[in-house]
Amino acid sequence: MIRPKFLLVCLDLFLIYVSFHSANLIRFGSWDGDFRSPAAIRFILLICFLMPFTYFFELYERRNFYEKKFLYSRVLATALFSFLSMSVLFFIFLNIQFGRGHLFIILTIFALLQYGSRSVISHFSGASQFASKILIIGCGALAQRIYDIIPEDHNSHSYTRFVSCTEQNPIVDPDLIVGNIHDIDRLINEQRPTKLVTALSERRGNLPLREFMHSKLRGIDIVDATTFFEQMTGCLLVENMQPSEFVYTDRFKMTSFMRSYKRLYDLLFSSLGLALTLPFFPLIALLVKLDSPGSIFFRQLRVGEGETEFYVYKFRTMTQNAEAATGAVWAEKDDPRVTRMGKFMRKTRIDEIPQLYNVLIGDMSFIGPRPERMTFVNRLKDMIPFYSTRHFVKPGVTGWAQVRYPYGASDEDALEKLRYDLFYIKNYSIFLDFKIIIETIRVVVTGFGGR
């Protein structure tokens, strides 16, 4: 299935191409730019800077197209940050720089085209052909959970309705129930949904498979609640999953080839990261010592792959012996044990840098579930289904849960993080790892989730 974000990426590539050639037409009177080096390098650099900044400023999220002020500011920020970044690069490498004013013309044209194209998309996406029409089969707690994750749609033709399957009192809003499952064929003809979501705790004998088959053949998308939840949120509905969903699937497996190339880029990233950050270690150590008495580094036993323990290393962010009186407890918001320097390091993730050593020696991976302490793990295994599954891969310095969910500081947060960890394990790919790296950069810049 071709996703809208993929189409937007293709659109931006085309806009960069048009902007590059249009600037040549304005500057040199010729549409056909010279694509021999260094012109080809300049064009590739435009892609390498404009595309990540477009992603960074959330211009591939269609929900952001409807707020014109937000759209304008983000398009402007994309062009401005690209201009500043490329100007620094061209100052270092003089032989590949654009002519005077040439880069400014390209980015101005691109910004206008990007703003205009997304405004057009937001205008025409209100047509009935692009409406999201969803029927949820079920009226219980699971159906309500599915209803809650469906984002607000600006299309006036969109709707979400429920189809009752039992005589019991519904949990969902009764005004949104359009009929009973026995009349599903008539309801489909009347409502003309684009998607059916089956949200039943017990499906045997409750689903009219014949009518569903006919609907499928007519082009209606039919998915179960757990699949729909995964598609919409990027995490798994753990409490409604069955062991068979782990077994009878081609996902949830890490082949030898996957482990090999994951270890290869772990070595690459950890070596590069340590080489770039080691010169700053003395300065960080000095600031830690000046801020509060105690050691510079902090080490703690955490649970890794196969539930084996290892020592994780960090810069100290709390007062010395912070848990001497309380024992192992979750970190709180505005935790009084965190030092002034520690607050800054946690927000910027500087305290995590020494974990690159853990990656280098193989205790951790660059990307994976965050390692927890055995005290918490033993308790969470008894409370949360499939919790031990996260220990079938190496823990990571960053991960899908870290970039999608704020800092976890409770058992409830541990469940939410597990949803994302299992999504990562299920859908592991090098492309997902690359997305997490880009998201991590955004998280570090914005301070999302630090505590």
Side-chain angles (χ1 to χ4, degrees):
M1 182 175 63
I2 299 176
R3 298 183 180 276
K5 287 184 181 180
F6 175 77
L7 297 177
L8 287 172
V9 169
C10 293
L11 173 64
D12 279 344
L13 287 172
F14 176 72
L15 296 183
I16 294 173
Y17 178 82
V18 171
S19 303
F20 185 79
H21 282 300
S22 298
N24 286 336
L25 183 64
I26 294 170
R27 289 265 306 164
F28 310 118
S30 172
W31 170 264
D32 294 320
D34 181 11
F35 264 84
R36 294 169 296 179
S37 183
I41 296 176
R42 294 170 188 152
F43 181 72
I44 293 171
L45 285 174
L46 281 171
I47 295 174
C48 292
F49 280 91
L50 283 170
M51 301 295 284
F53 277 121
T54 298
Y55 179 85
F56 185 86
F57 288 112
E58 299 181 315
L59 287 171
Y60 291 123
E61 302 293 337
R62 196 158 57 91
R63 67 179 184 273
N64 296 329
F65 297 177
Y66 299 95
E67 192 176 336
K68 297 302 180 184
K69 186 176 180 181
F70 178 93
L71 180 61
Y72 172 79
S73 63
R74 293 306 176 98
V75 168
L76 186 63
T78 298
L80 179 60
F81 275 83
S82 298
F83 178 80
L84 294 174
S85 302
M86 295 183 74
S87 296
V88 172
L89 183 68
F90 295 147
F91 180 78
I92 300 172
F93 302 100
L94 298 176
N95 60 318
I96 60 172
Q97 64 178 309
F98 288 88
R100 186 180 297 275
H102 196 182
L103 178 60
F104 177 79
I105 295 172
I106 292 174
L107 295 179
T108 300
I109 296 172
F110 176 78
L112 292 172
L113 291 175
Q114 192 176 54
Y115 180 82
S117 63
R118 278 154 171 77
S119 297
V120 170
I121 290 171
S122 67
H123 175 74
F124 284 101
S125 62
S128 59
Q129 296 91 328
F130 301 106
S132 173
K133 302 174 182 179
I134 301 174
L135 282 184
I136 300 176
I137 312 300
C139 296
L142 181 57
Q144 182 63 49
R145 182 70 183 274
I146 295 300
Y147 180 81
D148 291 339
I149 66 169
I150 298 174
E152 179 185 358
D153 197 323
H154 293 79
N155 192 315
S156 59
H157 301 280
S158 296
Y159 66 79
T160 302
R161 297 291 184 268
F162 298 94
V163 177
S164 177
C165 294
T166 66
E167 300 301 323
Q168 298 178 358
N169 292 330
I171 292 178
V172 302
D173 185 351
D175 293 335
L176 298 179
I177 300 175
V178 294
N180 191 276
I181 190 68
H182 301 300
D183 302 317
I184 188 65
D185 208 27
R186 176 182 61 81
L187 293 173
I188 289 174
N189 288 327
E190 290 178 356
Q191 301 291 327
R192 298 188 179 278
T194 56
K195 189 185 293 286
L196 295 178
V197 182
T198 59
L200 299 172
S201 300
E202 179 54 61
R203 290 181 289 185
R204 283 182 229 172
N206 290 323
L207 295 180
L209 297 180
R210 184 185 184 90
E211 287 78 4
F212 277 11
M213 183 181 69
H214 293 165
S215 300
K216 186 85 171 182
L217 293 172
R218 285 188 292 183
I220 298 174
D221 191 18
I222 302 176
V223 296
D224 62 84
T226 55
T227 301
F228 183 77
F229 189 90
E230 180 179 351
Q231 293 172 349
M232 297 299 295
T233 64
C235 61
L236 302 187
L237 197 59
V238 176
E239 56 268 54
N240 289 91
M241 292 180 66
Q242 301 297 323
S244 58
E245 296 184 54
F246 291 85
V247 178
Y248 299 114
T249 178
D250 59 350
R251 306 293 182 91
F252 286 114
K253 64 179 180 181
M254 187 74 73
T255 65
S256 299
F257 176 71
M258 290 178 178
R259 291 182 184 276
S260 297
Y261 73 67
K262 190 171 176 63
R263 181 58 184 154
L264 187 63
Y265 76 67
D266 280 345
L267 290 171
L268 176 64
F269 278 114
S270 59
S271 301
L272 181 62
L274 286 172
L276 293 174
T277 57
L278 273 175
F280 299 97
F281 273 39
L283 175 61
I284 298 172
L286 178 63
L287 293 174
V288 170
K289 291 293 287 185
L290 290 175
D291 187 42
S292 65
S295 60
I296 297 168
F297 294 100
F298 171 76
R299 74 170 192 168
Q300 191 177 65
L301 278 173
R302 297 289 179 97
V303 179
E305 186 178 18
E307 295 194 2
T308 58
E309 290 185 294
F310 69 98
Y311 279 107
V312 67
Y313 297 92
K314 301 172 69 174
F315 284 115
R316 183 174 57 83
T317 58
M318 289 188 175
T319 55
Q320 189 76 359
N321 300 320
E323 293 184 338
T326 62
V329 293
W330 296 107
E332 303 173 356
K333 186 176 182 180
D334 299 323
D335 198 314
R337 300 172 300 168
V338 179
T339 64
R340 290 172 299 175
M341 182 63 186
K343 290 179 181 178
F344 172 75
M345 289 196 295
R346 286 183 171 225
K347 278 291 182 184
T348 57
R349 303 306 200 277
I350 290 175
D351 63 316
E352 311 279 359
I353 292 175
Q355 291 177 33
L356 293 175
Y357 172 73
N358 288 113
V359 177
L360 189 64
I361 63 177
D363 289 333
M364 295 176 64
S365 178
F366 193 76
I367 297 171
R370 288 295 294 151
E372 295 290 358
R373 284 183 274 182
M374 187 62 79
T375 302
F376 297 142
V377 168
N378 288 333
R379 186 172 78 244
L380 294 171
K381 283 195 299 184
D382 295 332
M383 297 173 55
I384 302 174
F386 310 116
Y387 187 81
S388 291
T389 308
R390 72 196 300 273
H391 298 127
F392 281 91
V393 297
K394 288 183 180 180
V397 177
T398 185
W400 188 236
Q402 281 64 56
V403 300
R404 300 280 291 191
Y405 189 78
Y407 185 93
S410 67
D411 294 345
E412 292 75 18
D413 287 332
L415 171 59
E416 295 303 318
K417 287 165 59 179
L418 179 66
R419 301 185 197 281
Y420 293 100
D421 290 335
L422 292 186
F423 177 90
Y424 174 77
I425 296 171
K426 178 182 180 180
N427 298 285
Y428 175 75
S429 70
I430 195 169
F431 301 104
L432 181 56
D433 275 355
F434 179 74
K435 182 175 182 178
I436 292 172
I437 291 171
I438 298 297
E439 288 285 344
T440 299
I441 296 172
R442 180 159 64 184
V443 167
V444 169
V445 172
T446 60
F448 172 81
R451 185 173 292 182

